[in-house]
C-alpha cells in the first residue's frame, strides 16, 4: 500500500528548475523549436503520436521537446492532454488505397500493378555516418513513368485467386467495434479491440514479440504482402450537418503480412493475414503489429498456444507503455510507511529464525543431560 | 434567428452536399494564412457572430481490419470546429457557416466557418468559389503533384538474379 508523504515543496520546485537547466544544454547554442522537431524528426513524432494515441504532429513535437526527448514522458504528456478534450465522435473508416501512396513495396510479388515505389525509406542506406552538416542528396531526374497508375492492394491480387483468406468472412455484418478507451477490456477481446491496443502499444515491446514469432515462439511464416505509406482523407459525419465532413488528411503506414496456413478440416490451404496500421511513418511498428496480430489469431486457425506472442491478455495488458512505465517507476517514490512495515516483519522473522537456531543448538545438550540422568 | 437559412438537409450524396463537401475539403486543407488573407481582402464583409467555438476536440479515427474488413478504432486525432452566423450587407439573408478540420488551429476553424457561411449564400457562392476555393484547390493540386512526382522518382525495377546451378 502506498501512503502519501507531505513536504519538500521547495526541493521539488528546485528539482524542476534543475531539470529545465539540464535540458537547456549550452546557453550559447540556440533553443530547438517544436517546429524543427515536427519537421526534422518526423519518425520520432510518429512514435509519440502512435503510442500517445493522438494524431497531432505539433502537439507531439511539443511533448518531445518538453520531455527532453524522453519518449515515454512525451507519450504520457500526449495521453494526459487527450483526456482534457471532448470527443466529438468517430470518423468514417479511412480508405488506405484512396490516395496515391508515397511508398508501396511488396516482398511477395516483384511485378505489381503500379510498381514497387520505395518512397522515403532507410532501406538500402549504408548505415554510415554522413558528413556533419551534409543536407543529404537531392532527387534526380524523375523517372519517365506514369504518375496516375493505380496501385491496388497486393493482398487483393491473391484474394482474386481465392488463395487468401477473405477480408470479409462469411456472414460479415460490419459490427460496431468496442472502444478500449471507453469500455473496460474483458478478455477474450475482439480482433478490433486487439488492433486498437496494438496500435497504441509500445514499439519496442511489439518488435520483440514479433521477432519472437520469427524465431520459433509461435511460428507464423510471414511475408510482407505490402507496406504502404501515404496520406488518407478523414471524414466525419457531424450530427448537426448530417453528412460526412472532410476533415483533412493524415499520414498512415499500413502493413499487410501474408502468412502460410496449411488448411484445416473445413478450410482449404490458403494464406492468412496479419494487419498493422499506424500513424505517420512508422514501418517497424506496423510490421511488428501485423506479426503480433497474426500470432494472436491462433484460435481462428486452431493453432496450438505455445508462445508469449499468442497470449492475448499477456500481450495486450503489457503493451501499454504508459501503464507499464507508471507502475515500474512508481517504485522510486517514497514508500517509507510501506517499507517500515516490511522492515518490522523481516526483523521479527529474523529474530524468530535466530531463536529457533539457538534452541536447536542447545537441544543436543538437553538430550545429553537426559541420557546422563 | 428564424430568418437564418438553415443548411438544408437533402439526402446524403445529393449535389448540394457534394458541392459543400468539396469546398469544405478545400478549406480544411488550406493554410490558415491563405484563408486569413482571403478574408482580410474580402469586401464587403458581413458581420460575423460566433455561435459555437472555435473550439478544440477529438475524433476517434477508424479504419478497417485488413483494410476492408470490420471497423476498428485506430487512435484519436485533434479537431477544431466552429459555427458562425453571418449577417448584414452583401448577404441575401443571414447564413450559418460550420467547419470541422484536423489540428488545433482555432483561427483556421473560424475562417473556414466564415467562408462556409459565405458559400451558403447563393448570390455570393460563385464569387467565393472563383476567388477563394478555386485558387486553394489549384495550390493543393500543385502540392499533390509535386509530392507524387517525388514519390514516383523512387519507383524501382527489381530483377531477380537466376542462380547458377539450378
Amino acid at each position: 500500500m502506498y501512503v502519501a508523504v507531505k513536504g519538500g515543496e521547495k526541493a521539488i520546485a528546485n528539482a524542476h528548475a534543475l531539470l529545465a537547466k539540464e535540458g537547456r544544454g549550452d546557453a550559447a547554442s540556440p533553443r530547438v523549436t517544436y517546429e524543427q522537431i515536427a519537421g526534422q524528426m518526423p519518425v520520432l513524432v510518429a512514435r509519440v503520436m502512435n503510442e500517445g494515441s493522438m494524431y497531432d504532429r505539433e502537439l507531439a513535437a511539443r511533448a518531445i521537446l518538453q520531455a527532453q526527448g524522453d519518449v515515454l514522458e512525451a507519450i504520457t504528456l500526449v495521453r494526459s492532454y487527450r483526456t482534457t478534450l471532448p470527443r466529438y465522435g468517430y470518423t468514417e473508416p479511412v480508405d488506405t488505397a484512396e490516395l496515391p501512396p508515397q511508398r508501396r513495396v511488396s516482398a511477395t510479388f516483384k511485378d505489381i500493378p503500379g510498381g514497387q515505389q520505395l518512397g522515403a525509406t532507410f532501406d538500402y542506406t549504408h548505415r554510415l555516418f554522413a558528413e556533419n552538416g551534409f543536407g543529404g542528396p537531392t532527387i534526380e531526374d524523375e523517372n519517365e513513368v506514369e504518375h496516375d497508375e493505380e496501385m491496388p492492394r497486393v493482398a487483393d491480387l491473391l484474394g482474386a485467386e481465392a488463395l487468401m483468406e477473405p477480408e470479409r468472412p462469411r456472414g460479415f455484418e460490419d459490427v460496431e467495434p468496442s472502444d478500449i478507451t471507453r469500455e473496460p477490456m474483458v478478455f477474450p477481446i475482439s480482433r478490433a479491440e486487439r488492433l486498437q491496443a496494438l496500435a497504441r502499444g509500445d514499439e519496442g515491446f511489439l518488435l520483440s514479440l514479433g521477432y519472437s514469432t520469427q524465431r520459433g515462439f509461435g511460428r507464423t511464416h510471414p511475408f510482407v504482402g505490402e507496406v504502404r505509406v501515404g496520406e488518407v482523407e478523414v471524414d466525419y459525419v457531424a450530427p448537426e450537418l448530417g453528412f460526412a465532413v472532410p476533415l483533412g488528411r493524415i499520414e498512415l503506414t499500413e502493413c499487410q503480412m501474408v502468412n502460410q496456413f496449411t488448411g484445416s478440416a473445413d478450410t482449404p490451404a490458403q494464406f492468412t493475414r496479419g494487419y498493422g496500421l499506424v500513424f505517420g511513418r512508422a514501418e517497424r511498428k506496423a510490421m511488428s503489429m501485423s506479426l503480433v496480430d497474426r500470432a494472436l489469431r491462433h484460435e481462428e486457425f486452431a493453432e496450438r498456444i505455445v508462445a508469449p506472442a499468442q497470449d492475448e491478455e499477456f500481450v495486450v495488458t503489457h503493451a501499454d507503455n504508459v501503464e507499464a512505465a507508471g507502475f515500474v517507476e512508481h517504485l522510486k517514490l517514497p514508500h517509507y510507511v510501506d517499507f517500515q512495515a516490511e522492515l518490522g516483519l523481516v526483523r521479527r522473522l529474523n529474530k524468530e529464525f535466530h531463536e529457533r537456531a539457538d534452541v536447536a543448538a542447545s537441544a543436543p545438550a538437553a538430550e545429553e543431560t537426559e541420557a546422563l540422568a | 434567428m428564424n430568418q437564418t437559412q438553415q443548411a438544408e438537409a437533402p439526402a446524403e450524396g445529393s449535389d448540394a452536399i457534394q458541392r459543400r463537401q468539396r469546398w469544405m475539403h478545400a478549406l480544411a486543407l488550406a493554410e490558415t494564412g491563405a484563408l486569413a488573407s482571403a478574408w482580410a481582402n474580402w469586401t464587403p464583409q458581413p458581420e460575423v457572430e460566433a455561435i459555437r467555438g472555435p473550439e478544440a476536440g477529438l475524433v476517434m479515427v477508424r479504419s478497417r481490419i485488413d483494410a476492408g474488413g470490420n471497423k476498428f478504432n485506430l487512435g484519436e486525432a485533434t479537431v477544431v470546429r466552429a459555427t458562425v452566423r453571418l449577417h448584414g450587407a452583401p448577404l441575401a439573408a443571414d447564413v450559418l457557416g460550420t467547419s470541422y478540420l484536423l489540428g488545433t488551429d482555432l483561427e483556421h476553424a473560424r475562417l473556414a466557418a466564415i467562408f462556409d457561411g459565405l458559400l451558403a449564400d447563393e448570390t455570393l457562392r460563385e464569387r467565393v468559389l472563383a476567388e477563394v476555393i478555386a485558387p486553394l484547390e489549384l495550390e493543393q493540386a500543385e502540392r499533390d503533384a509535386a509530392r507524387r512526382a517525388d514519390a514516383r522518382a523512387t519507383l524501382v525495377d527489381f530483377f531477380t538474379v537466376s542462380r547458377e546451378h539450378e
Side-chain angles (χ1 to χ4, degrees):
Chain A
M1 191 187 64
Y2 183 75
V3 180
V5 291
K6 289 171 81 173
E9 288 85 351
K10 193 175 168 198
I12 290 169
N14 281 337
H16 293 166
L18 182 57
L19 175 69
K21 193 174 171 183
E22 286 292 327
R24 176 63 183 92
D26 183 355
S29 71
R31 271 182 196 282
V32 180
T33 65
Y34 73 82
E35 290 92 342
Q36 289 171 326
I37 305 273
Q40 296 173 41
M41 298 197 157
V43 183
L44 177 59
V45 167
R47 177 156 187 199
V48 171
M49 294 197 299
N50 275 314
E51 293 164 36
S53 200
M54 189 178 84
Y55 192 97
D56 190 310
R57 285 206 169 91
E58 193 182 300
L59 288 172
R62 279 174 56 187
I64 291 161
L65 202 51
Q66 185 177 325
Q68 303 184 1
D70 184 330
V71 178
L72 266 70
E73 277 293 335
I75 290 161
T76 306
L77 278 171
V78 171
R79 291 266 190 105
S80 305
Y81 180 74
R82 67 161 280 280
T83 65
T84 67
L85 293 174
R87 166 89 71 82
Y88 296 154
Y90 294 88
T91 72
E92 297 297 289
V94 297
D95 179 358
T96 51
E98 184 187 0
L99 294 178
Q102 193 211 49
R103 169 169 168 79
R104 186 267 211 139
V105 292
S106 172
T108 50
F109 295 106
K110 185 166 66 70
D111 299 307
I112 44 178
Q116 308 261 359
Q117 189 175 293
L118 298 178
T121 180
F122 290 107
D123 297 352
Y124 313 108
T125 60
H126 294 110
R127 271 80 182 201
L128 297 172
F129 275 112
E131 233 173 281
N132 194 19
F134 178 58
T138 50
I139 297 174
E140 285 187 29
D141 1 276
E142 286 155 13
N143 296 344
E144 292 293 318
V145 291
E146 182 58 56
H147 279 201
D148 298 320
E149 211 175 330
E150 291 285 319
M151 288 193 174
R153 292 194 187 96
V154 172
D156 296 345
L157 304 175
L158 277 171
E161 264 190 90
L163 292 178
M164 175 67 106
E165 156 201 14
E167 53 194 16
R168 298 193 174 190
R170 268 165 291 177
F172 175 77
E173 283 172 20
D174 202 11
V175 290
E176 276 298 291
S178 174
D179 183 348
I180 64 166
T181 67
R182 293 290 148 119
E183 292 140 58
M185 277 187 283
V186 181
F187 293 101
I189 57 177
S190 64
R191 189 171 169 212
E193 288 168 280
R194 266 188 336 235
L195 287 172
Q196 184 180 5
L198 297 179
R200 59 183 0 224
D202 185 86
E203 178 177 316
F205 182 69
L206 296 182
L207 174 68
S208 295
L209 282 175
Y211 178 46
S212 75
T213 68
Q214 289 182 285
R215 292 195 63 254
F217 290 82
R219 293 178 65 84
T220 52
H221 307 273
F223 292 93
V224 171
E226 181 170 26
V227 163
R228 195 179 269 259
V229 183
E231 288 184 320
V232 297
E233 301 278 1
V234 183
D235 295 330
Y236 163 67
V237 177
E240 74 275 24
L241 298 177
F243 62 86
V245 180
L247 300 180
R249 295 177 184 170
I250 61 175
E251 186 179 39
L252 297 179
T253 300
E254 180 185 50
C255 175
Q256 297 244 21
M257 203 63 87
V258 175
N259 304 266
Q260 187 196 91
F261 176 56
T262 49
S264 68
D266 3 279
T267 322
Q270 58 179 349
F271 292 102
T272 57
R273 300 167 187 263
Y275 191 62
L277 186 69
V278 291
F279 291 147
R281 282 200 286 131
E283 195 161 298
R284 193 183 304 113
K285 168 78 178 276
M287 291 179 69
S288 306
M289 179 175 169
S290 62
L291 287 171
V292 175
D293 170 51
R294 177 58 187 82
L296 289 171
R297 297 181 67 201
H298 54 79
E299 206 176 286
E300 294 174 61
F301 307 110
E303 291 163 339
R304 282 200 317 132
I305 307 178
V306 293
Q310 297 170 299
D311 185 329
E312 174 180 271
E313 186 171 348
F314 175 79
V315 171
V316 169
T317 54
H318 298 110
D320 190 300
N321 58 19
V322 174
E323 285 176 19
F327 202 46
V328 168
E329 292 189 44
H330 101 284
L331 290 173
K332 70 194 169 184
L333 298 176
H335 278 69
Y336 307 134
V337 177
D338 234 357
F339 190 70
Q340 283 304 315
E342 298 263 325
L343 192 63
L345 178 67
V346 172
R347 278 194 181 127
R348 187 162 59 78
L349 292 173
N350 197 282
K351 185 165 164 253
E352 284 170 10
F353 173 85
H354 287 296
E355 279 169 5
R356 275 199 307 277
D358 288 347
V359 170
S362 56
E367 274 164 33
E368 274 171 40
T369 346
E370 268 168 40
L372 283 173
Chain B
M1 178 71 196
N2 49 5
Q3 69 201 35
T4 302
Q5 284 177 8
Q6 284 291 348
E8 336 83 276
E12 171 83 35
S14 79
D15 285 355
I17 286 181
Q18 282 178 9
R19 279 207 311 272
R20 191 165 177 202
Q21 285 170 322
R22 184 169 162 184
W23 74 59
M24 284 179 137
H25 183 250
L27 292 167
L29 291 183
E31 301 283 332
T32 309
L35 294 183
S37 66
W39 176 236
N41 297 321
W42 189 265
T43 49
Q45 282 191 357
E47 276 180 59
V48 179
E49 183 191 344
I51 300 288
R52 179 181 62 187
E55 60 192 7
L58 295 168
V59 289
M60 174 58 85
V61 178
R62 278 193 169 160
S63 189
R64 288 189 179 278
I65 299 172
D66 300 327
N70 271 309
K71 294 189 279 271
F72 76 99
N73 299 306
L74 177 61
E76 287 165 314
T78 52
V79 167
V80 279
R81 68 177 177 189
T83 300
V84 295
R85 183 191 292 129
L86 306 182
H87 51 99
L91 298 166
D94 286 9
V95 287
L96 285 178
T98 295
S99 69
Y100 276 88
L101 45 96
L102 292 170
T104 52
D105 188 343
L106 298 174
E107 186 61 6
H108 189 176
R110 192 183 74 90
L111 291 163
I114 290 172
F115 282 110
D116 182 57
L118 291 179
L119 284 155
D121 186 287
E122 289 193 13
T123 57
L124 289 175
R125 184 175 303 145
E126 290 310 316
R127 190 184 149 207
V128 185
L129 286 175
E131 292 180 20
V132 181
I133 302 299
L136 289 177
E137 285 185 336
L138 189 66
E139 277 170 40
Q140 186 59 43
E142 282 167 1
R143 280 198 292 269
D144 286 350
R147 273 179 67 90
R148 182 93 173 115
D150 281 352
R152 290 305 271 174
T154 67
L155 195 69
V156 69
D157 192 11
F158 286 121
F159 50 93
T160 42
V161 180
S162 57
R163 294 180 194 168
E164 257 178 61
H165 309 289
E166 222 172 343

